[in-house]
Amino acid sequence: MDAELKEVLEAFARGSGKICVLTGAGISAESGIPTFRGPEGYWTVGSREYQPQEMATYEMFTQHPEEVWRWYLYRLSVCRKADPNPGHLAIAEMERLFKDRFTLITQNVDGLHLRAGNSLTRTFQIHGNISFMRCADACTEEPFPLPDVVPAKSKDDMMTTEELHLLRCPNCGGMTRPHVLWFDETYDEVYYRFTSSLRVARETDLLITVGTSGATNLPNQVVWEARHRGAILVDVNAEENPFGRAALSSPRGFFIRGKSGAILPGMVEVFRQAL
Ligand code: NAD
C-alpha cells in the first residue's frame, strides 16, 4: 500500500472520526455475481433481448410482471449460490473494529454483506434486497422474506401457477414486487434510507468507495457531499471510474486500482494495528 495512504489510515483509526464504506456490484463480482456493466446481464423476453437497465424498471414490471419476477428469481438463484468473499469479510471486520463510528451504504441487493457479518442497523441497503418482496399496491410498507420454497430458476424456466401463488402479498393477497429500487423510481427513506445516507455523508471523515461505477444517483450525492465536507476519499476499483477521479482530484483522496477482495484485507490490517 502507498505509504502516504497507510499513514492517513493509521491517523484516522487513532482518532475518533467516522468511517463510511459505500459498495457497488464490483465487490460481489469475486463471489460470482455478475455486475450490470459486464456482458452477462441481458435477458430475453419473447424475441427481444433486454439489458438489466431495461429489465429493472417499474415500466417493465407493469408490462411484463411475470417476466420481471422470473428474471429476479434467476438472479436470486445466483445470489443464493454465492458466498461472501474476502472483500465482504474485511468490511464486516471494519464494523467490528470501529463499532458506532462505522456505517455501510450498499447498492447491492444480494445480502452478502449481512451474511459476512455486518449488522442490519449499520447497513443501509439503498437499492433493497433481492430476498424480500413487498406488496405491489403498497397495502403495507413491510417487506416480506421470499418464501424458502420459491425455487431457484434457470434462464429457461417458466413460472408456474403455484409459484405465482407463493408470490402473493401475505397481507392483502394481491401481487407483490421484488423489494428493490428500479432505475425509473426515486429513493426514499422508508425503503431505501435516503435521508440517513445523506446524513452519514455529511458526518463522515473517511469515505471508502468500492466496486461501483458511479452511475446511480444517491451514491453520487454521498461522494460529492463527503468530498465537499473535506472527508478523506479512498476509491477501490478494478477500473478507472468517476469516483476514482473524484478522489484523485480532492485534496485528501486516493485511488487504488485492483480487486476489492485483494485490497480491503490489507486496509483492515492497517486499521487493526493502529487501533
Ligand atoms: P456496476 O455494475 O455499474 O459497476 C461495477 C463496478 O465494479 C465497475 O466500476 C467495475 O470496474 C468494478 N469492479 C468489477 N469487479 C471488481 C472487483 N473485483 N473489485 C473492485 N471493483 C470491481 O455496479 P454499481 O455501480 O453497483 O451499480 C449498478 C446497479 O447494479 C446497482 O443499482 C445495484 O443495485 C445493481 N446490481 C447489484 C448486484 C448485486 O447485488 N451483487 C449485481 C449487479 C447489479
Side-chain angles (χ1 to χ4, degrees), residues 22-34:
L22 167 65
T23 63
I27 192 162
S28 295
E30 289 162 77
S31 294
I33 303 178

Side-chain angles (χ1 to χ4, degrees), residues 37-55:
R37 320 291 149 176
E40 299 143 82
Y42 75 87
W43 189 256
T44 310
V45 180
S47 56
R48 249 202 80 181
E49 282 181 358
Y50 290 88
Q51 293 303 313
Q53 287 83 344
E54 298 171 284
M55 287 303 295

Side-chain angles (χ1 to χ4, degrees), residues 105-173:
I105 300 177
T106 185
Q107 295 166 81
N108 293 348
V109 297
D110 56 35
L112 286 182
H113 285 300
L114 300 176
R115 281 173 53 198
N118 283 109
S119 69
L120 188 56
T121 338
R122 310 208 74 82
T123 302
F124 300 171
Q125 300 178 97
I126 61 168
H127 292 171
N129 187 319
I130 200 170
S131 297
F132 287 77
M133 60 186 188
R134 63 176 204 255
C135 181
D137 287 332
C139 77
T140 162
E141 287 171 349
E142 192 184 349
F144 300 99
L146 275 173
D148 285 342
V149 285
V150 173
K153 288 267 163 207
S154 75
K155 276 197 165 182
D156 302 321
D157 289 340
M158 291 296 145
M159 298 283 288
T160 65
T161 319
E162 197 177 65
E163 285 159 12
L164 288 169
H165 191 73
L166 289 168
L167 296 173
R168 296 249 144 225
C169 172
N171 195 44
C172 73

Side-chain angles (χ1 to χ4, degrees), residues 24-26 28-30 33-37 75 107-110 127 183 211-216 236-239 241 258-260:
S28 295
E30 289 162 77
I33 303 178
T35 67
F36 270 180
R37 320 291 149 176
R75 292 183 57 210
Q107 295 166 81
N108 293 348
V109 297
D110 56 35
H127 292 171
F183 283 101
T212 172
S213 67
T216 50
V236 178
N237 198 304
E239 304 291 341
N241 73 91
K259 293 191 171 179
S260 42

Side-chain angles (χ1 to χ4, degrees), residues 193-210:
R193 310 298 304 268
F194 177 72
T195 331
S196 303
S197 298
L198 289 179
R199 178 183 41 76
V200 166
R202 280 193 296 276
E203 292 172 356
T204 199
D205 300 285
L206 167 61
L207 175 66
I208 305 177
T209 48
V210 185

Side-chain angles (χ1 to χ4, degrees), residues 255-267:
F255 170 56
I256 314 179
R257 187 172 184 160
K259 293 191 171 179
S260 42
I263 288 160
L264 295 176
M267 290 173 81

